[in-house]
Amino acid sequence: MKTIRYYAPIRAIVKKESEETELSSVKYVLDFIQKTYGKEAHTAAKSALIVVNDVSIGMYQGKKTPLNDGDVIGFLPVCGGG
Amino acid sequence: MRTPVYAIIDLNTRTSARYEISEEMYRNYIGGKTLGARLLYDLTPAGIDPLGPESVVIINTSPATGTGAPCSSRFNMTFKNVLTGGIASSNCGGQFGALMKRAGYDGIILRGQSETPCIISIVDRQITISDAGDLWGKDTEETQLAFQKIYGKLVIGPAGEHLVRYAAAVSGERVAGRCGAGAVLGAKKIKAIVAYGTQRPDVHDQNKFAKYVNKWVKFLRNHPMTGEALPSYGSAGLVSKANATNALPTHNFKYGHFKEAHAVSGETLADTRLVRNSSCISCPIRCERRVEIDGKEVKGPEYETCGFFGPNIDCISMDNLLRLNYQCDLLGMDTISMASTIAFAMELKENGLADFDVSFGDSDSLSEIVEKIALREGKYSDLANGSKWLSEQYGGKDYAMHSKGLEMASYEPRRSVGMGLGYATSNRGGCHLNGGYLALLESVGVLSMDALSTSAKPAFTVFMQNALEAISASGFCLFSAQSFVPAILFKLGPHHPVTRAVGKIATHLGFGVRALLWMMPILRFNSVFLFPHVEALRLITGLPFYTGSFVRLGERGYNMERLYNFREGLTGKDDSLPDRLTKTPQDANNPKTVVRLDKMLPVYYRVRGWDENGAPRKRTLRKLRIQA
């Protein structure tokens, strides 16, 4: 089992903070979001900083990053500051 | 044209005199930190003690301060840096700057040393100095409550009184945190400066300015960074971003990733503690967090504080973090230098070199120790001197995480090597903002230049340092500059092929940026999409500011600061980082995860027009119209 965690702005669309899944890659999770919550959620998910176990998928295999049992995939807003 | 009017306040004699800035100096240096650097250079001899009677503290505003332009409540403090011995500029929001200007002064220059604790009051051009009485010893909140609400206040807490080298000055709930701003006021025995007045700030073309402000506010509100991300999570939202790219300092910068960072992230803060957003005056971004702790609503922590009282000391208690943040504000201390010094002390203990009763993973007892540091009690007084001083006394120089003496901010430069170059070259020491803040383009923003590549970093660092310097000098919060990354990239997201391609191209754009720097004099355009500040500055001052001349203003300020540092003995040799960052790869399997200063510095100096020792060349100073 893997966990999907949602943060603003996608959380406001899917109306939940997290959910469990058996999907095996980031790409499948994105497809699941589109199918389940619609295009707006999918767009928000794609534009988020996607992390697996708190590490950017850019440091793994991008959207092809596989998911293993116990993994947490998060959709974080891109932030700023300083 | 109205040129800035300052007051020179002599604490020895408790008298003041009007001091007008010449038109030439105004045109060249404008205000804030750049004008501050020029004045400090001119008004002080070399080699003075920053806490001695000869020291000078300049507190000044900028043309934009208090005009109602977005994010323009800023004021600046310039003084000799207590931690580095070089230049210090500390920037602050809140109301003090705007009200000092309304009181009739664009800046004040503090000289001498009062014999007894005092309060300076500036009301409609009238300056009075009175005894601080019982206020001496009070925290920053109690001190400010002693004055009527209408005043803009700038106060110090017990840390400033006890000359903690990283003591801060506090205005409302905003803090001039870095470099010992509170200590220099404490040394002069100034407990508080309050200001009130009714004079409206000068704006050259009020009608066009009002229209432009509307346009700019709209732009900021519609931009994903300044309209969504910063209001939703504040700067604390960066904890997860830095952690996601291994750029989050952990265990005194030994690592760049903390498994439990989520516990102290901006997202957790927003989900569990956020009461509401707030802001400085005239700020449409509203990044300030209002949080509740121990039944009281207080200002929430910024990213740096979350990082340093969290992962950098291996702690996950959000409660402790919020308490420590609030406590540091009350005592008047910079959270970055304070927490980084504590992390260093923890590692000293781990290595058996010194024991200050602090250990990684334990933030429960820190509140008590923080108080003892502020009051310089017993052995904890050593911690009040910062990590450079500590490393000279107890060893551990390789992992004392400062540059020139100022502790670095919460970006691990081995995963953001341009930020590493910025830390090393920053005139005020290990500062991300004075260092050009390349981390935003390398590791924590939507764009991702190759964070380990050194190729374009010197040119980008120079450009960003100059630009941020100019924005500060004009009186704007640097957060207002974060809209320069095109909104479309936020919509596409950091993993989109287009965004990644832009990042890759930028990684190899060194020559392009160098050409851009060379072309500055002919860049006679202003755009709300790039630096919206320039057009505002032009309309406020009536001076012919364009993008090129604006960035050149920043370059002039940067070189002026550099000249001051050289005069005080800080040279190219001090453009350095601890060995942990330059010699030990963050990832043992990836030798590129070190900061290659040896590769970047020579190029950086060339781009800057400095010699091989890092000194500005005569022709560079001539080009910038700087008289040494």
Side-chain angles (χ1 to χ4, degrees), chain B residues 217-513:
Chain B
V217 168
K218 212 169 177 183
F219 173 66
L220 286 171
R221 287 198 172 132
N222 288 328
H223 193 280
M225 176 70 99
T226 48
E228 285 173 31
L230 278 166
S232 297
Y233 294 111
S235 65
L238 287 176
V239 172
S240 305
K241 316 304 161 304
N243 203 35
T245 52
N246 293 342
L248 182 68
T250 301
H251 200 93
N252 192 33
F253 283 78
K254 199 168 186 179
Y255 315 109
H257 186 82
F258 188 57
K259 271 191 175 171
E260 295 166 282
H262 183 69
V264 291
S265 68
E267 291 82 9
T268 301
L269 186 72
D271 285 349
T272 62
R273 312 299 162 95
L274 185 68
V275 178
R276 62 187 171 94
N277 282 23
S278 187
S279 71
C280 298
I281 48 175
S282 77
C283 176
I285 299 174
R286 295 178 64 78
C287 70
E288 184 189 336
R289 325 272 77 202
R290 303 292 304 173
V291 298
E292 192 172 309
I293 185 72
D294 301 328
K296 186 173 180 184
E297 186 188 304
V298 298
K299 185 190 82 180
E302 300 292 338
Y303 163 64
E304 312 294 342
T305 314
C306 292
F308 278 131
F309 277 129
N312 203 41
I313 55 170
D314 296 356
C315 286
I316 56 168
S317 168
M318 181 67 91
D319 280 344
N320 286 348
L321 190 161
L322 297 182
R323 281 190 198 106
L324 289 164
N325 180 55
Y326 181 48
Q327 187 184 16
C328 282
D329 280 0
L330 290 180
L331 295 166
M333 278 192 289
D334 172 28
T335 54
I336 298 178
S337 284
M338 151 62 75
S340 188
T341 301
I342 287 176
F344 177 60
M346 288 172 172
E347 192 156 354
L348 284 178
K349 183 179 179 186
E350 200 170 63
N351 295 332
L353 295 175
D355 186 357
F356 292 97
D357 309 319
V358 288
S359 304
F360 285 111
D362 175 18
S363 61
D364 290 344
S365 57
L366 280 187
S367 181
E368 201 181 316
I369 287 166
V370 164
E371 177 135 10
K372 286 178 179 170
I373 294 171
L375 301 175
R376 281 191 174 274
E377 275 183 21
K379 65 181 177 183
Y380 304 102
S381 182
D382 284 357
L383 298 181
N385 294 327
S387 44
K388 181 179 181 227
W389 186 93
L390 268 187
S391 70
E392 285 163 358
Q393 297 296 311
Y394 297 97
K397 284 185 183 176
D398 297 355
Y399 51 86
M401 306 312 292
H402 67 84
S403 177
K404 300 186 179 75
L406 184 73
E407 287 75 12
M408 280 175 270
S410 189
Y411 302 90
E412 218 290 29
R414 288 175 296 184
R415 288 289 183 170
S416 190
V417 299
M419 189 69 267
L421 175 65
Y423 283 144
T425 54
S426 156
N427 287 317
R428 72 174 187 175
C431 170
H432 57 309
L433 300 173
N434 197 220
Y437 197 27
L438 245 59
L440 191 66
L441 302 178
E442 294 178 300
S443 54
V444 297
V446 67
L447 264 182
S448 44
M449 293 173 77
D450 183 341
L452 305 182
S453 164
T454 56
S455 74
K457 302 301 166 58
F460 266 96
T461 300
V462 170
F463 179 79
M464 291 294 287
Q465 285 175 338
N466 292 348
L468 296 186
E469 181 93 359
I471 293 165
S472 265
S474 311
F476 298 104
C477 172
L478 294 178
F479 283 16
S480 64
Q482 298 203 5
S483 56
F484 82 96
V485 178
I488 181 69
L489 296 181
F490 287 86
K491 286 179 182 140
L492 295 173
H495 307 297
H496 194 280
V498 171
T499 316
R500 285 165 51 205
V502 173
K504 273 195 181 148
I505 292 166
T507 305
H508 301 289
L509 261 185
F511 281 107
V513 178

Side-chain angles (χ1 to χ4, degrees), chain B residues 35-268:
Chain B
L35 182 53
R38 177 77 252 181
L39 289 171
L40 191 72
Y41 188 92
D42 291 345
L43 296 174
T44 55
I48 57 166
D49 174 0
L51 301 179
E54 281 183 302
S55 79
V56 164
V57 179
I58 296 153
I59 305 175
N60 63 355
T61 62
S62 303
T65 309
T67 56
C71 315
S72 65
S73 72
R74 315 295 295 185
F75 67 96
N76 166 73
M77 292 180 68
T78 293
F79 46 93
K80 186 167 184 179
N81 197 317
V82 186
L83 288 159
T84 71
I87 192 91
S89 57
S90 203
N91 203 274
C92 186
Q95 294 188 322
F96 178 77
L99 281 159
M100 178 168 72
K101 207 181 217 186
R102 280 178 170 264
Y105 292 106
D106 298 284
I108 52 175
I109 298 166
L110 305 168
R111 315 188 77 143
Q113 212 161 35
S114 175
E115 277 182 19
T116 53
C118 67
I119 295 163
I120 299 172
S121 164
I122 310 165
V123 179
D124 280 331
R125 294 211 180 110
Q126 212 43 50
I127 296 175
T128 50
I129 303 171
S130 54
D131 285 330
D134 291 344
L135 282 183
W136 197 254
K138 301 266 195 248
D139 69 37
T140 59
E141 197 172 272
E142 287 175 304
T143 305
Q144 293 188 82
L145 284 172
F147 301 95
Q148 286 178 42
K149 265 191 176 174
I150 56 165
Y151 287 106
K153 300 140 197 148
L154 180 65
V155 308
I156 62 166
E161 296 170 11
H162 289 88
L163 308 182
V164 171
R165 290 193 187 190
Y166 42 83
V170 178
S171 177
E173 287 186 319
R174 313 311 299 175
V175 181
R178 308 230 66 196
C179 311
V184 292
L185 292 183
K188 293 193 177 302
K189 293 227 167 14
I190 299 170
K191 180 64 182 175
I193 308 173
V194 296
Y196 176 74
T198 51
Q199 188 174 307
R200 289 179 68 82
D202 278 358
V203 174
H204 175 74
D205 192 334
Q206 186 65 56
N207 287 338
K208 280 188 184 164
F209 176 69
K211 278 184 198 154
Y212 184 73
V213 166
N214 285 339
K215 181 179 168 186
W216 187 4
V217 168
K218 212 169 177 183
F219 173 66
L220 286 171
R221 287 198 172 132
N222 288 328
H223 193 280
M225 176 70 99
T226 48
E228 285 173 31
L230 278 166
S232 297
Y233 294 111
S235 65
L238 287 176
V239 172
S240 305
K241 316 304 161 304
N243 203 35
T245 52
N246 293 342
L248 182 68
T250 301
H251 200 93
N252 192 33
F253 283 78
K254 199 168 186 179
Y255 315 109
H257 186 82
F258 188 57
K259 271 191 175 171
E260 295 166 282
H262 183 69
V264 291
S265 68
E267 291 82 9
T268 301

